[in-house]
Amino acid sequence: MESIISTWQLSFLFGVFTWIVASSMFNVTHKVRSFVQPWVSRRVISGTPTILQIQKYQHGFWDAFFSGLSCVVSVPFYTGFLPLLFWSGHGKLARQMTLLMAFCDYTGNCIKDVVSAPRPKSPPVRILTATKDEKENALEYGLPSSHTLNTICLSGYLLHYIFSCHENINASYQVVAFTFACLFVGLIGLGRIYLGMHSLIDIFGGLVLGLMILAFWLQVHEYVDNFVILGKNVTSFWIALSFLSLFAYPTPQHPTPSFEFHTAFTGVTLGIVTGVQQTYHQFHHENVPRVFTHNLGLPAFAGRTLIGIPTILLVKFCSKALAKWILPITASALGIPVRSSGYVTALSGPLGVKKSNEVKQSGGYLQKMFFSRQESFDVDTGIRLLQYAGLAWSVVDLVPSLFSQFNL
């Protein structure tokens, strides 16, 4: 009889667990930060004149242009764009971009919170945060620039996907596409400096890290995709990996929303992987109709969008409500003390919020559960994970089922 999780999967999960425990015991985060943070902080300060020089060209047009450009490559944009990519018939591209986005988000945010390097100081630098998303981004640490990192990885993988699917593309078109991608990345980096959100060292760090992640992903993406769609014990393995990833996260010097972003995208990948693994041969194989073909015209795709978007928003709301009810009851039944920093009113309050911030950010996440005498745990993390897992599952399982019912 086949084991629940195979040997290599157990070895991988055990390796992650061992790293979490070892890094917690030897306080790796603090040691790395004490070495790297002063050097990065000096580069941030020394880069201030360059930022001010760029901001001398301040104009309302550039404010709107770079703010809009930042929104186009933000996490909320990709969160809205990726469902449409799944429903357009490009399932492999959507899967890979989702997993790559999650990997970039985790890696980038880990480095941000390990180094805990400041953003440019304001004043003298003018920081322009035109959206709620930008205001939340400004609460994170600076190095590396997530916008630069994500843009390099996702645009680079998109080019690879297009060139792989259309091997006969004229070389001149390939050069134009590559040039456009480079220009786009350059404008994103310039925009982050113009808006005062990042210094030169942040952009350079995002550039280097992005190229490294892209090069790595291009080596492993086929193995990852084959495992997701055809592997054994995928769901159980990914649930265990998602759980461990919540603890395999460094402690920032001061509280930031980076861990919340990581939790949300961990939930997204869990829902996507679980749903695709169960329904690949029904809705996500390579022969499904693709948009702008005779099997899936623009009116049908518009119908999918009109049905799909409200459905996933409803599932997100219901998942959150269900998790808010189930998790506190489950914790109470198991004798686990919990509190809420905002989702569950009965478990929240001024003292609870204060403790939430202190506990969430005061030490490595795994040792807080097993190696410290902690009074309570923040149930919001589990709620957020299940909420986004439910949303992502509906994108690849529930909504395609509705499409088949409506002949879309």
Side-chain angles (χ1 to χ4, degrees):
M1 182 177 178
E2 185 181 25
S3 61
I4 297 178
I5 299 183
S6 66
T7 303
W8 78 262
Q9 293 169 344
L10 281 174
S11 300
F12 184 86
L13 295 174
F14 181 74
V16 174
F17 178 84
T18 302
W19 162 249
I20 296 170
V21 174
S23 62
S24 299
M25 292 177 61
F26 294 103
N27 204 9
V28 172
T29 297
H30 177 74
K31 292 178 180 178
V32 172
R33 180 183 300 140
S34 63
F35 177 74
V36 178
Q37 186 190 63
W39 184 86
V40 176
S41 298
R42 288 194 297 270
R43 296 301 178 279
V44 173
I45 295 172
S46 64
T48 299
T50 303
I51 301 175
L52 296 176
Q53 187 68 29
I54 292 174
Q55 291 190 336
K56 284 183 178 180
Y57 298 94
Q58 174 185 343
H59 190 276
F61 170 78
W62 295 120
D63 290 353
F65 176 75
F66 286 122
S67 294
L69 204 60
S70 294
C71 291
V72 169
V73 296
S74 63
V75 172
F77 172 80
Y78 289 123
T79 304
F81 170 73
L82 290 173
L84 300 182
L85 199 57
F86 274 106
W87 302 337
S88 70
H90 295 277
K92 181 177 181 178
L93 177 61
R95 289 192 302 273
Q96 286 297 308
M97 293 191 76
T98 301
L99 295 174
L100 179 56
M101 183 74 178
F103 188 55
C104 291
D105 177 78
Y106 174 75
T107 306
N109 284 353
C110 279
I111 295 176
K112 281 179 186 286
D113 285 351
V114 167
V115 179
S116 295
R119 290 182 182 267
K121 186 177 181 180
S122 176
V125 173
R126 182 189 71 134
I127 297 180
L128 180 62
T129 53
T131 64
K132 180 181 177 182
D133 178 57
E134 281 287 77
K135 289 181 172 64
E136 291 182 342
N137 288 337
L139 299 176
E140 295 184 287
Y141 289 109
L143 178 75
S145 166
S146 296
H147 283 70
T148 306
L149 166 62
N150 294 338
T151 304
I152 288 175
C153 288
L154 296 181
S155 60
Y157 187 81
L158 180 61
L159 285 180
H160 169 78
Y161 179 83
I162 294 174
F163 295 159
S164 298
C165 293
H166 305 281
E167 296 180 353
N168 296 323
I169 293 180
N170 189 284
S172 60
Y173 290 120
Q174 294 185 13
V175 172
V176 170
F178 180 77
T179 303
F180 177 80
C182 292
L183 177 62
F184 186 56
V185 171
L187 286 174
I188 292 297
L190 177 62
R192 301 311 287 167
I193 296 175
Y194 175 86
L195 296 173
M197 295 293 288
H198 286 287
S199 60
L200 287 174
I201 188 65
D202 301 336
I203 303 301
F204 181 75
L207 175 64
V208 172
L209 182 61
L211 291 174
M212 292 173 60
I213 291 178
L214 179 60
F216 169 75
W217 196 260
L218 292 179
Q219 298 299 316
V220 303
H221 70 107
E222 290 290 351
Y223 300 103
V224 174
D225 196 60
N226 287 335
F227 172 68
V228 169
I229 63 178
L230 302 173
K232 303 293 184 181
N233 318 310
V234 176
T235 300
S236 55
F237 171 78
W238 216 274
I239 289 174
L241 181 61
S242 299
F243 177 79
L244 284 177
S245 72
L246 295 179
F247 300 104
Y249 194 87
T251 305
Q253 191 170 12
H254 300 290
T256 75
S258 297
F259 178 69
E260 297 176 3
F261 299 156
H262 161 60
T263 303
F265 236 99
T266 299
V268 168
T269 55
L270 176 61
I272 292 294
V273 169
T274 302
V276 167
Q277 207 275 332
Q278 297 295 327
T279 62
Y280 173 74
H281 295 290
Q282 294 174 269
F283 307 125
H284 304 290
H285 55 86
E286 291 301 306
N287 296 321
V288 297
R290 294 186 175 180
V291 68
F292 302 127
T293 64
H294 68 280
N295 292 322
L296 182 58
L298 189 58
F301 181 68
R304 287 188 171 194
T305 304
L306 291 175
I307 292 175
I309 296 297
T311 301
I312 65 175
L313 293 178
L314 178 62
V315 171
K316 179 184 177 183
F317 173 81
C318 293
S319 299
K320 181 178 180 180
L322 193 62
K324 287 167 62 175
W325 174 62
I326 290 178
L327 289 184
I329 293 177
T330 303
S332 177
L334 296 175
I336 302 174
V338 294
R339 73 192 179 286
S340 172
S341 55
Y343 282 162
V344 183
T345 305
L347 299 175
S348 62
L351 181 59
V353 172
K354 180 179 179 181
K355 287 183 178 180
S356 170
N357 289 333
E358 290 175 351
V359 172
K360 186 185 293 185
Q361 310 292 348
S362 63
Y365 291 95
L366 189 67
Q367 77 267 29
K368 291 204 302 279
M369 176 171 285
F370 295 108
F371 301 105
S372 68
R373 295 180 179 179
Q374 182 175 315
E375 292 185 7
S376 61
F377 300 94
D378 192 352
V379 74
D380 289 13
T381 298
I383 294 173
R384 186 174 294 108
L385 177 73
L386 295 180
Q387 172 188 0
Y388 282 92
L391 180 148
W393 166 82
S394 68
V395 168
V396 296
D397 193 331
L398 176 61
V399 171
S401 299
L402 294 178
F403 294 161
S404 64
Q405 293 296 320
F406 289 101
N407 295 320
L408 293 174

